[in-house]
Amino acid sequence: MYPLSASLHCTVTNKRPNRQELLDIKHGKFSYTEILHKVDSLVSQITAASKTSSLPEEPATTEVMRTLINIRQILYANH
């Protein structure tokens, strides 16, 4: 395996378009019933999207691993 270097520091920022909604949920501004309705809606959207998705059933694991190894090699080459 490739151990992470102690000198390698990075931050991943994931900007969410629904940031405020997630914070409101975190702070308890919705009832449990409201959350369950939201979950049902999201599951319905995911189900509908999966029927028309062009994504394969399984990821291309070998290609993913090769890409991750290449990324690590590039990162370590610069440090």
Side-chain angles (χ1 to χ4, degrees):
M1 277 290 146
Y2 298 94
L4 287 176
S5 169
S7 64
L8 179 63
H9 297 281
C10 63
T11 301
V12 176
T13 302
N14 186 1
K15 296 183 180 180
R16 302 289 309 167
N18 62 337
R19 179 181 183 272
Q20 189 57 52
E21 178 185 26
L22 294 173
L23 289 172
D24 289 346
I25 291 169
K26 179 180 177 181
H27 294 119
K29 294 185 180 179
F30 295 98
S31 70
Y32 185 69
T33 302
E34 290 172 311
I35 297 295
L36 289 179
H37 286 302
K38 181 71 172 169
V39 168
D40 288 340
S41 173
L42 291 171
V43 168
S44 294
Q45 290 175 38
I46 291 168
T47 301
S50 71
K51 292 178 182 176
T52 59
S53 173
S54 61
L55 290 172
E57 288 294 320
E58 297 291 326
T61 307
T62 302
E63 186 176 338
V64 170
M65 290 303 292
R66 189 178 321 119
T67 301
L68 289 172
I69 289 169
N70 288 338
I71 290 170
R72 281 182 166 224
Q73 289 172 339
I74 291 167
L75 287 173
Y76 290 126
N78 294 327
H79 286 88

